[in-house]
Amino acid sequence: MSDLILSSIRKSYGAVSVINGLDLTIAQGEFVALVGPSGSGKSTLLRIIAGLEDIDEGTITLGGRDVTHADPSDRDMAMVFQSYALYPHMSVADNMTFALRMRKAPADEIQSRLKSALEILHLTGYEDRKPGQLSGGQRQRVAMGRAIVREPSVFLFDEPLSNLDAKLRAKTRTELRQLHERLGATSVFVTHDQIEAMTMADRIVLLDDGIVQQVGTPHEIYNNPINRFVASFIGSPEINMLKGTLGRDGNTLKLDNVSLPASPARLAALEAANVDGKTVELGVRAEHLDIAKPGEASSFSMTIAVVEFTGHDAFVSGERAGNQIVLRIEPAMQEALGSKLEAGKELPLKLVTPDAWHLFDADTGLCLTYT
């Protein structure tokens, strides 16, 4: 098994620390997305794995072999860059087989690998075209093909879809995941787009300021964030945050006057954590809010700012006590409510699903409901 293991990785540029003691194990055949805002260290980490950046401390092993100081060409990895980086004067076939020809691989092996890669990427018949005769999506597939023919243990992708338009991006995203499944190689994919990470990765590594905030499956990170940063970064639209004081009304948990539907297990866990009376932040996603009936107890209201129709969903955005709130509703409900959803009107809301919310320490940002 060719597991990729990063241990205690540190990297600085002068006084600026970019990667701070990072530990990560990526299993053979796994698709892992490195995600984070600009400057979080994700591209630097990918370049460190590839051997394009030296590290100050730590070790990198691949399949039990220490590759910490190995040359990029000796790491059995292939990288696909954000820019296609194709030779404009070379044909598709020559671009894809360039590395093999430089290694003086046997001609029959080169042709066999080329034919296989062309079939996988649906590029058969384009062998003799130059990059300038291809669409953006086709150029990106050629760049992927150049990596595929090398048959590496690890594929490294540095935001390979960012130059594509929205429709082509979605299509290529699906093709890339299918390609991963077919090849069975390990893939490390850098992106700032959390939707790409959520839809493609087996696991997500969320970075901020060179520190791993959380590692988990898309479901784990979306539904069980470890802190406020993770909850806010993952998910579209962004999670709603409401600040208030936590208390109880009998067996009902409340944030100020907002009732928080909770299971007995969550109530017991919060009681054990002794958070009653503390100022906290409530995180609740747009799909876990509902419109309350007029005068319904324990509801809260927001002032509507705008309603956005996206086809499958409609999003109602507004404000409550300085906090921005987004509610997701069915388009049919948008039609039924009609003028009640006009800008400036008050809309009563409530939480309806037990435990479908998170509490964060107002000072540290740590999730008090993380399990």
Side-chain angles (χ1 to χ4, degrees):
M1 297 294 287
S2 299
D3 291 354
L4 176 64
I5 303 174
L6 286 72
S7 302
S8 304
I9 303 297
R10 293 186 181 276
K11 172 67 177 179
S12 298
Y13 296 110
V16 179
S17 182
V18 182
I19 304 292
N20 299 288
L22 182 143
D23 295 297
L24 179 65
T25 297
I26 299 173
Q28 164 66 30
E30 191 174 23
F31 194 118
V32 169
L34 306 179
V35 192
S38 297
S40 61
K42 55 190 185 297
S43 290
T44 300
L45 181 59
L46 193 76
R47 292 173 62 82
I48 285 172
I49 294 172
L52 302 177
E53 295 276 359
D54 293 327
I55 57 176
D56 300 326
E57 295 179 27
T59 58
I60 303 171
T61 61
L62 177 62
R65 180 170 68 98
D66 190 333
V67 296
T68 308
H69 302 293
D71 289 336
S73 59
D74 296 330
R75 296 196 179 203
D76 195 18
M77 300 177 186
M79 193 162 181
V80 178
F81 296 92
Q82 179 178 349
S83 60
Y84 313 126
L86 302 177
Y87 295 107
H89 64 287
M90 289 187 183
S91 66
V92 166
D94 287 342
N95 266 287
M96 290 174 65
T97 60
F98 181 76
L100 295 181
R101 289 185 284 113
M102 289 299 98
R103 293 179 183 178
K104 302 188 183 303
D108 57 345
E109 180 183 346
I110 291 175
Q111 288 305 309
S112 175
R113 291 193 188 186
L114 173 63
K115 183 180 182 224
S116 176
L118 289 168
E119 289 174 353
I120 289 171
L121 295 166
H122 307 293
L123 287 171
T124 302
Y126 291 86
E127 299 93 319
D128 297 326
R129 293 196 187 184
K130 300 290 199 301
Q133 299 171 302
L134 303 175
S135 68
Q138 289 168 336
R139 292 180 199 177
Q140 193 55 275
R141 290 208 295 273
V142 173
M144 292 177 190
R146 183 174 50 196
I148 290 170
V149 296
R150 294 177 57 188
E151 298 181 356
S153 295
V154 181
F155 287 97
L156 305 175
F157 298 96
D158 189 7
E159 302 199 46
L161 310 183
S162 60
N163 289 333
L164 307 180
D165 62 59
K167 184 177 180 179
L168 186 56
R169 227 171 141 160
K171 183 176 183 293
T172 309
R173 191 168 67 207
T174 302
E175 291 176 346
L176 184 54
R177 179 66 210 199
Q178 290 173 336
L179 175 64
H180 169 80
E181 297 290 347
R182 183 169 178 175
L183 296 176
T186 305
S187 297
V188 185
F189 186 93
V190 162
T191 179
H192 64 275
D193 186 333
Q194 46 94 15
I195 296 297
E196 283 183 5
M198 294 277 286
T199 54
M200 296 176 66
D202 298 319
R203 283 193 304 153
I204 293 172
V205 179
L206 186 50
L207 291 160
D208 188 38
D209 289 334
I211 299 173
V212 173
Q213 300 295 310
Q214 189 169 355
V215 180
T217 66
H219 285 281
E220 289 169 344
I221 288 186
Y222 185 81
N223 295 310
N224 194 26
I226 197 169
N227 58 34
R228 181 173 50 216
F229 172 81
V230 173
S232 297
F233 192 87
I234 295 294
S236 180
E238 187 174 321
I239 194 170
N240 299 299
M241 288 288 186
L242 301 173
K243 195 170 185 177
T245 302
L246 197 63
R248 287 176 185 261
D249 183 2
N251 289 325
T252 302
L253 191 65
K254 304 191 78 172
L255 183 80
D256 295 337
N257 67 327
V258 180
S259 291
L260 308 180
S263 65
R266 175 161 284 193
L267 285 172
L270 288 172
E271 185 173 0
N274 192 30
V275 294
D276 283 3
K278 290 188 176 181
T279 299
V280 296
E281 288 182 288
L282 168 70
V284 57
R285 299 198 181 274
E287 64 269 25
H288 295 139
L289 288 172
D290 199 3
I291 298 175
K293 297 176 182 178
E296 188 171 353
S298 300
S299 65
F300 62 101
S301 65
M302 74 171 182
T303 304
I304 298 174
V306 67
V307 180
E308 299 171 300
F309 174 71
T310 63
H312 182 268
D313 297 301
F315 294 94
V316 185
S317 300
E319 183 177 319
R320 173 186 181 268
N323 296 300
Q324 299 300 312
I325 299 176
V326 180
L327 162 73
R328 184 164 71 186
I329 61 174
E330 297 289 335
M333 182 178 290
Q334 178 187 4
E335 294 183 9
L337 291 171
S339 62
K340 293 181 180 179
L341 294 182
E342 291 178 355
K345 290 194 174 180
E346 294 292 312
L347 187 67
L349 303 176
K350 63 180 179 179
L351 282 68
V352 292
T353 307
D355 298 356
W357 44 268
H358 312 282
L359 291 180
F360 302 93
D361 187 290
D363 296 321
T364 66
L366 291 176
C367 186
L368 303 172
T369 48
Y370 175 76
T371 56

